[in-house]
Coordinates of all heavy atoms in Angstrom, one line a residue:
N1 N 96.6 87.3 87.5 CA 95.3 86.9 88.1 C 95.2 87.0 89.6 O 94.7 86.1 90.3 CB 94.9 85.5 87.6 CG 93.4 85.3 87.8 OD1 92.6 86.2 87.7 ND2 93.0 84.0 88.0
K2 N 95.8 88.1 90.1 CA 95.7 88.3 91.6 C 94.7 89.4 91.9 O 94.5 90.4 91.2 CB 97.1 88.9 92.0 CG 98.2 87.8 92.0 CD 97.9 86.7 93.1 CE 98.9 85.6 93.2 NZ 98.6 84.7 94.2
P3 N 94.0 89.2 93.1 CA 93.0 90.2 93.5 C 93.7 91.6 93.7 O 94.9 91.6 94.1 CB 92.5 89.6 94.8 CG 92.7 88.2 94.7 CD 94.0 88.0 93.9
I4 N 92.9 92.6 93.4 CA 93.4 94.0 93.6 C 92.7 94.6 94.7 O 91.4 94.6 94.8 CB 93.2 94.8 92.3 CG1 94.0 94.3 91.2 CG2 93.5 96.3 92.5 CD1 93.7 94.9 89.8
T5 N 93.4 95.2 95.7 CA 92.8 96.0 96.8 C 93.1 97.4 96.6 O 93.9 97.9 95.8 CB 93.3 95.5 98.1 OG1 94.7 95.8 98.3 CG2 93.0 94.0 98.3
S6 N 92.5 98.3 97.5 CA 92.7 99.7 97.4 C 92.7 100.2 98.9 O 92.0 99.7 99.8 CB 91.5 100.4 96.7 OG 91.5 101.8 97.0
G7 N 93.6 101.2 99.1 CA 93.6 101.8 100.4 C 94.1 103.3 100.3 O 94.9 103.6 99.4
S8 N 93.7 104.1 101.2 CA 94.1 105.5 101.2 C 95.5 105.7 101.6 O 96.1 106.7 101.3 CB 93.2 106.3 102.2 OG 91.8 106.3 101.8
D9 N 96.1 104.8 102.4 CA 97.4 104.9 103.0 C 97.3 106.2 103.9 O 98.2 107.1 103.9 CB 98.5 105.1 102.0 CG 99.9 104.7 102.5 OD1 100.0 104.5 103.7 OD2 100.8 104.6 101.7
F10 N 96.3 106.3 104.7 CA 96.0 107.5 105.5 C 97.1 107.7 106.5 O 97.4 106.9 107.4 CB 94.7 107.3 106.3 CG 94.3 108.4 107.1 CD1 93.4 109.4 106.6 CD2 94.8 108.6 108.4 CE1 93.0 110.5 107.4 CE2 94.4 109.7 109.2 CZ 93.6 110.6 108.7
H11 N 97.7 109.0 106.5 CA 98.6 109.5 107.5 C 98.1 110.8 108.0 O 98.4 111.2 109.2 CB 100.0 109.6 106.9 CG 100.8 108.4 106.7 ND1 100.5 107.5 105.6 CD2 101.7 107.8 107.4 CE1 101.3 106.5 105.7 NE2 102.1 106.6 106.7
H12 N 97.5 111.6 107.2 CA 97.0 112.9 107.5 C 95.6 113.2 107.0 O 95.1 112.4 106.1 CB 98.0 114.0 106.9 CG 99.4 113.8 107.3 ND1 99.8 114.2 108.6 CD2 100.4 113.2 106.7 CE1 101.1 114.0 108.7 NE2 101.5 113.3 107.6
V13 N 94.9 114.2 107.5 CA 93.6 114.5 107.1 C 93.4 114.7 105.6 O 92.4 114.3 105.0 CB 93.0 115.7 107.8 CG1 91.6 116.1 107.3 CG2 93.0 115.5 109.3
S14 N 94.5 115.1 104.9 CA 94.4 115.3 103.5 C 94.3 114.0 102.7 O 94.0 113.9 101.6 CB 95.6 116.1 103.0 OG 96.8 115.4 103.3
H15 N 94.6 112.9 103.4 CA 94.5 111.6 102.8 C 93.2 110.9 103.0 O 93.0 109.8 102.5 CB 95.6 110.6 103.4 CG 97.0 111.1 103.3 ND1 98.0 110.7 104.1 CD2 97.5 112.0 102.5 CE1 99.1 111.3 103.8 NE2 98.9 112.1 102.8
L16 N 92.3 111.6 103.7 CA 91.0 111.0 104.1 C 90.2 110.4 102.9 O 90.0 111.2 101.9 CB 90.2 112.0 104.8 CG 88.8 111.5 105.3 CD1 88.9 110.4 106.4 CD2 88.0 112.7 105.9
A17 N 89.7 109.2 103.0 CA 88.8 108.6 102.0 C 89.3 108.6 100.6 O 88.5 108.8 99.7 CB 87.4 109.4 102.1
R18 N 90.5 108.4 100.4 CA 91.1 108.3 99.0 C 90.9 106.9 98.5 O 91.1 106.7 97.3 CB 92.6 108.7 99.0 CG 92.8 110.2 99.2 CD 94.3 110.4 99.0 NE 94.7 111.9 99.2 CZ 95.9 112.3 99.1 NH1 96.9 111.5 98.7 NH2 96.2 113.6 99.2
G19 N 90.7 105.9 99.3 CA 90.7 104.6 98.8 C 89.8 103.7 99.7 O 89.1 104.2 100.6
G20 N 89.9 102.4 99.5 CA 89.2 101.4 100.2 C 88.4 100.5 99.3 O 88.6 100.4 98.1
I21 N 87.4 99.9 99.9 CA 86.5 99.0 99.1 C 85.0 99.3 99.4 O 84.7 99.8 100.4 CB 86.8 97.5 99.3 CG1 86.5 97.1 100.8 CG2 88.2 97.1 98.9 CD1 86.5 95.6 101.1
I22 N 84.2 99.0 98.4 CA 82.7 99.0 98.5 C 82.2 97.6 98.4 O 82.5 96.9 97.4 CB 82.1 100.0 97.5 CG1 82.6 101.4 97.7 CG2 80.6 99.9 97.5 CD1 82.2 102.4 96.6
T23 N 81.3 97.2 99.3 CA 80.8 95.9 99.2 C 79.3 95.9 99.8 O 78.9 96.7 100.5 CB 81.6 94.9 100.1 OG1 81.0 93.6 100.1 CG2 81.8 95.4 101.5
S24 N 78.6 94.9 99.3 CA 77.2 94.7 99.8 C 77.2 94.0 101.1 O 76.2 93.9 101.8 CB 76.3 94.0 98.8 OG 76.9 92.7 98.6
K25 N 78.3 93.4 101.5 CA 78.4 92.6 102.7 C 78.8 93.5 103.9 O 79.6 94.4 103.8 CB 79.5 91.5 102.5 CG 79.4 90.7 101.3 CD 78.2 89.8 101.3 CE 78.2 88.9 100.1 NZ 77.0 88.0 100.0
K26 N 78.1 93.2 105.0 CA 78.4 93.9 106.3 C 79.6 93.2 106.9 O 79.6 92.0 107.1 CB 77.2 93.8 107.2 CG 77.5 94.3 108.6 CD 77.9 95.8 108.7 CE 78.0 96.3 110.1 NZ 78.7 97.6 110.2
I27 N 80.7 93.9 107.1 CA 81.9 93.4 107.7 C 82.0 93.7 109.2 O 82.0 94.9 109.6 CB 83.2 93.9 107.0 CG1 83.2 93.4 105.5 CG2 84.4 93.5 107.7 CD1 84.3 94.0 104.7
N28 N 81.9 92.7 110.0 CA 82.0 92.9 111.5 C 83.2 92.4 112.1 O 83.5 92.6 113.3 CB 80.8 92.1 112.1 CG 79.4 92.7 111.7 OD1 79.2 93.9 111.9 ND2 78.5 91.8 111.3
S29 N 84.0 91.6 111.4 CA 85.2 91.0 111.9 C 86.3 90.8 110.9 O 86.0 90.9 109.7 CB 84.9 89.6 112.5 OG 84.4 88.7 111.5

């Protein structure tokens, strides 16, 4: 019952936008 996150693990252009999160909340900090 642990939260799951996602990330591209970006190192090179080929890794662009492979992961992350989508939210209705604006994140400023």
